[in-house]
Amino acid sequence: MPVIKYPRIRDPLFYEWDKKAQKCGLRHTIYAVNGDQYTGEWLDNLKHGKGTQIWKNTGAIYSGDWKFGKRDGYGSYSILDPATKEYKRVYTGWWENDQRGGRGVFFYPNGESYEGEWSNGLRSGWGKMQYKDGSVYEGQWLEDQHNGQGVLQLPNGNRYEGGWKDGKKHGPGKYLYLDKGQQLEGIWVADIPKCGVLVDFGRDNAPAPTQYPLPEIELHDPARVLAEARAMFDDSNN
């Protein structure tokens, strides 16, 4: 009785070639068509794990964690200085879905720096910003602006402590004029003090005090005035 042999059923060759081409695990440097290069770990043909990416057009480099093809986890991003040909650190910290997310430090080209929390690539949460003119803000942020409670310290030592909204002083707060030895406590709306009580504060030790001390006002209780102002402000925001 003749034996009939049937050909073994197998997938087309391109399926096998594609499977072998899938990048998974630790790989040496992989070059993209545009010249970018990546050295690190892969999973299902996606950058996943620890790895370093270099962008050809800008010379920028990222070294850190990846998750399914995106920067996710802890990592550092640096750019190439065209003048010195050395790498300058831009951001070191946590990433989420290819954007700054979590806690990290960012260095701006003009010399300013921010250390604190991020969300969707923007300063959001608690953070400290050091400005080029010497000012320092430490407090709450929302979408890259001062929002909530925070302290702004000016180069001359004066400072504001209180509420902020959309990057401006807003709500109850104190402004300390340490150079003059005075303190203004009151209510701010969009960076403008609407009402408050101005008193001497450390006037004897101030470097540039006013010529005469402020007279004492006995007709009104400052604490009561501020309490009534705060109540009016809260009612207007409810």
Side-chain angles (χ1 to χ4, degrees):
M1 182 175 182
V3 178
I4 300 176
K5 293 184 178 180
Y6 295 96
R8 186 173 56 183
I9 299 176
R10 58 179 298 176
D11 293 330
L13 284 177
F14 68 83
Y15 283 139
E16 184 176 348
W17 296 336
D18 183 67
K19 184 177 181 181
K20 289 181 179 179
Q22 292 289 314
K23 293 179 283 292
C24 188
L26 183 61
R27 290 271 179 152
H28 295 295
T29 302
I30 303 295
Y31 292 88
V33 176
N34 61 2
D36 296 346
Q37 62 185 70
Y38 171 82
T39 304
E41 298 175 303
W42 297 78
L43 179 64
D44 296 334
N45 217 33
L46 295 172
K47 302 163 192 170
H48 190 88
K50 301 290 184 181
T52 299
Q53 167 96 12
I54 301 177
W55 287 267
K56 181 180 179 180
N57 289 340
T58 62
I61 181 172
Y62 168 81
S63 182
D65 296 325
W66 296 78
K67 186 175 181 181
F68 301 119
K70 296 181 179 181
R71 290 169 290 186
D72 200 297
Y74 190 84
S76 181
Y77 178 80
S78 303
I79 60 174
L80 188 64
D81 190 328
T84 63
K85 302 301 181 182
E86 296 180 351
Y87 279 100
K88 296 176 61 177
R89 185 174 52 168
V90 175
Y91 176 78
T92 298
W94 292 91
W95 300 74
E96 293 178 356
N97 196 30
D98 221 30
Q99 293 184 322
R100 294 183 293 273
R103 190 165 185 84
V105 183
F106 190 93
F107 299 92
Y108 294 85
N110 61 359
E112 298 178 345
S113 65
Y114 170 83
E115 180 178 3
E117 297 174 307
W118 298 79
S119 179
N120 295 322
L122 302 176
R123 293 166 290 183
S124 291
W126 190 271
K128 181 178 181 180
M129 181 77 187
Q130 300 191 38
Y131 294 95
K132 187 176 181 180
D133 64 357
S135 302
V136 178
Y137 171 83
E138 184 170 6
Q140 294 174 303
W141 295 75
L142 180 63
E143 296 182 350
D144 261 353
Q145 292 187 323
H146 309 162
N147 246 81
Q149 294 295 310
V151 178
L152 177 64
Q153 180 95 26
L154 300 178
N156 62 2
N158 294 349
R159 70 176 184 268
Y160 169 80
E161 306 172 357
W164 297 81
K165 184 179 180 182
D166 299 331
K168 297 180 179 180
K169 295 181 278 293
H170 192 86
K174 297 179 182 179
Y175 201 108
L176 285 77
Y177 300 91
L178 298 182
D179 57 339
K180 298 180 179 180
Q182 293 180 332
Q183 172 184 291
L184 173 62
E185 183 175 0
I187 304 295
W188 273 258
V189 176
D191 249 1
I192 300 174
K194 293 296 184 178
C195 65
V197 176
L198 184 66
V199 297
D200 286 329
F201 184 85
R203 185 175 179 278
D204 295 337
N205 298 322
T210 56
Q211 184 176 1
Y212 301 104
L214 292 171
E216 296 184 3
I217 300 177
E218 300 180 355
L219 297 178
H220 299 284
D221 180 4
R224 180 182 175 184
V225 172
L226 288 175
E228 292 176 351
R230 287 194 181 97
M232 293 175 62
F233 178 82
D234 292 339
D235 290 341
S236 64
N237 284 273
N238 292 333

